[in-house]
Amino acid sequence: MKMIVRARLIVTMNGPPIKNGAVAIEGNRIDDSPPGSSPSRAARLRRAAPVGSVVDVGLFNEVKARNSGEVIDVGEQALLPGLINAHCHLDYTCLRGKIPPPKSFADWIRAINAEKAKLSKQDYLVSINEGFAEAKRFGTTTIGNLTAFPELVAKIYEPIRTWWFAELIDVREPNRAKDIVDLSVESLKSKEIWGLAPHALFTASANLYRQCEKIARRENIFLATHLAESREEMSMFREASGPLYEFMSGNGSPMDDCGAAILQQRDARPWIIAHLNELAESDFDLLERSRRKFHVVHSPRSHKYFAHSPFPFERLRALGCNVCLGTDSLASNEDLSLFAEMRAFQKNEPRTSPEEILSMVTVNPARALRREDALGKIRPGFCADLIAIPCARSTNALEETIAFDRPVDWTVLDGKIG
Ligand SMILES: [Zn+2]
């Protein structure tokens, strides 16, 4: 049984938006042969509309008249591919509003550790489930989620497509790197898609990074980490000083990695890197020389909360980085809306086109998650993940899309409405 959905505008992310169009869905995929259409008419429509199933509204009316499939008119709305959040920690959904913007990153780490000490495993389960529901409410249909509790994953039903990353820290037990990695592999390997995320250079040992890379080669999984997030992190590695250095050296962390160039030796796998907020010229030189291009996730609102240095978007893009947007966690953000993330980005980068900004929550993260042929576009053969949002103006429709600031009330996920 096919379903055909008509809308005032189809934002395909595979060419210019189509006014007054319709999308055919067969099962869980976007289809290329609309229901009820004769082969010759379907062929003619495909020629007229190279995106295939995204066709003119005449076909929709024809299908409606023949009553030969489920037909839905979402009215004066724009259909978009479901959004993709490339970096998030749903563990901390329950920490929304608990930590005011800190004076330093080290202060924030102290504050989040104090909050975490009050939470039980059950609290984390509730927090993760609430986070999933909120992400979906804001139009996210795919999420890259880091969890510090991979052992809880088996107890969670994910309502959206989920790339689980085990977030790993061995700062207080560097000799256990292999055990820590093996335990999380055990918890996650039954999942279809998963990865490992050594937390950051100041909390994960060089050995832990190496163990993760070894597993990634063996299992063909994803790798993610936090890098160059704060000024303190940079001064720790470059000058062996600053609040983060003080904090870490007071916590039993071996400091012998200090002074290492932060991007060295992380070249072998396509890492998904959160942040890159605070880079030195030598880091840009390294990026330029690096053969492999990184996927970079920027979280504009969390970035503002911490008052980091301006995100070097244009330089990273020019160096071939695939820049995506993510919400990070609610311990440094107010909600899980990628629309709000796009608006915050646009405020900082007003010269970037709305289409490019939308790419950062659709096409670009699909590439980072190695699903560029299945997610992030409305295109025949792609997963039927769609959202509809109001679209009142016919001009500047993409601008209007980014301005949307309410929950999304119509979603198709894997071909199912809900
Ligand atoms: Zn993060």
Side-chain angles (χ1 to χ4, degrees):
M1 180 75 154
K2 288 184 182 178
M3 173 164 71
I4 189 160
V5 186
R6 180 264 163 198
R8 177 181 176 144
L9 194 78
I10 316 282
V11 179
T12 65
M13 298 310 290
N14 190 48
I18 294 172
K19 285 182 191 160
N20 203 17
V23 178
I25 296 168
E26 169 88 64
N28 61 358
R29 296 273 160 178
I30 294 169
D31 193 28
D32 64 353
S33 57
S37 57
S38 67
S40 61
R41 175 157 169 73
R44 194 156 48 80
L45 285 166
R46 272 200 293 279
R47 274 200 302 280
V51 284
S53 66
V54 184
V55 296
D56 67 67
V57 77
L59 177 76
F60 172 77
N61 290 330
E62 194 177 296
V63 171
K64 209 170 176 179
R66 290 183 186 192
N67 195 22
S68 56
E70 192 181 354
V71 286
I72 295 158
D73 188 345
V74 297
E76 298 302 288
Q77 302 203 73
L79 275 188
L80 274 70
L83 307 185
I84 305 173
N85 187 343
H87 180 89
C88 187
H89 309 250
L90 297 181
D91 293 352
Y92 308 128
T93 307
C94 62
L95 298 187
R96 179 186 349 238
K98 297 266 194 223
I99 309 173
K103 285 200 181 67
S104 74
F105 195 64
D107 281 350
W108 182 80
I109 291 177
R110 277 188 203 97
I112 192 172
N113 282 344
E115 292 296 334
K116 280 157 71 174
K118 299 176 202 164
L119 299 174
S120 67
K121 289 280 167 74
Q122 185 57 30
D123 293 330
Y124 282 115
L125 264 180
V126 171
S127 192
I128 293 167
N129 284 324
E130 286 181 358
F132 272 125
E134 176 166 330
K136 188 175 177 192
R137 218 162 38 242
F138 282 118
T140 299
T141 53
T142 297
I143 197 163
N145 185 47
L146 279 65
T147 180
F149 308 99
E151 68 275 17
L152 295 182
V153 169
K155 297 184 180 168
I156 293 166
Y157 164 74
E158 308 92 341
I160 55 179
R161 295 180 198 280
T162 307
W163 270 244
W164 286 104
F165 290 86
E167 184 175 63
L168 306 172
I169 290 177
D170 69 340
V171 67
R172 290 187 190 88
E173 40 187 1
N175 299 325
R176 287 198 60 237
K178 187 174 180 308
D179 295 346
I180 289 170
V181 173
D182 288 349
L183 269 175
S184 31
V185 170
E186 225 22 66
S187 300
L188 289 183
K189 70 180 185 193
S190 62
K191 290 282 161 191
E192 197 184 336
I193 313 156
W194 58 282
L196 296 171
H199 172 255
L201 292 185
F202 55 90
T203 50
S205 67
N207 188 25
L208 184 67
Y209 273 87
R210 273 196 299 275
Q211 292 293 335
C212 291
E213 288 182 311
K214 200 168 117 190
I215 302 287
R217 274 194 298 275
R218 193 182 78 202
E219 307 280 339
N220 193 27
I221 55 157
F222 292 83
L223 289 169
T225 194
H226 299 86
L227 203 55
E229 178 168 8
S230 66
R231 281 185 285 273
E232 289 99 314
E233 181 182 344
M234 289 310 288
S235 64
M236 168 177 159
F237 283 96
R238 294 183 178 287
E239 299 150 23
S241 68
L244 193 59
Y245 179 87
E246 289 299 319
F247 173 71
M248 299 307 300
S249 53
N251 276 271
S253 167
M255 304 304 284
D256 30 29
D257 279 349
C258 295
I262 61 163
L263 291 166
Q264 270 172 4
Q265 297 173 350
R266 294 275 83 85
D267 230 14
R269 301 284 313 173
W271 286 79
I272 301 173
I273 296 178
H275 307 312
L276 293 191
N277 299 325
E278 309 280 350
L279 292 175
E281 282 308 311
S282 56
D283 299 318
F284 285 108
D285 292 345
L286 266 173
L287 276 174
E288 197 163 359
R289 288 201 304 275
S290 167
R291 273 174 293 115
R292 197 177 286 279
K293 300 304 174 191
F294 293 96
H295 306 291
V296 178
V297 189
H298 174 47
S299 303
R301 289 184 297 166
S302 175
H303 189 281
K304 185 174 178 217
Y305 165 94
F306 284 113
H308 295 312
S309 303
F311 178 66
F313 169 64
E314 293 200 356
R315 291 189 76 178
L316 290 173
R317 181 180 55 177
L319 287 167
C321 291
N322 175 35
V323 180
C324 312
L325 298 183
T327 56
D328 221 337
S329 85
L330 295 194
S332 62
N333 203 349
E334 57 205 50
D335 62 41
L336 297 172
S337 167
L338 287 169
F339 289 99
E341 234 47 78
M342 287 193 279
R343 278 193 294 285
F345 180 88
Q346 190 175 44
K347 213 169 162 191
N348 298 332
E349 303 286 344
R351 288 186 303 171
T352 310
S353 72
E355 189 179 6
E356 184 169 5
I357 297 174
L358 264 172
S359 298
M360 292 181 213
V361 294
T362 52
V363 179
N364 297 5
R367 222 175 102 204
L369 300 172
R370 291 186 239 147
R371 291 295 187 280
E372 62 267 48
D373 55 354
L375 298 174
K377 292 180 183 178
I378 299 179
R379 210 186 150 172
F382 274 52
C383 294
D385 294 356
L386 309 170
I387 57 173
I389 61 169
C391 168
R393 288 179 285 162
S394 47
T395 53
N396 287 330
L398 293 184
E399 194 69 59
E400 189 183 357
T401 299
I402 290 173
F404 177 71
D405 66 352
R406 294 197 305 277
V408 171
D409 57 17
W410 196 89
T411 303
V412 170
L413 181 58
D414 209 32
K416 295 183 190 70
I417 299 171

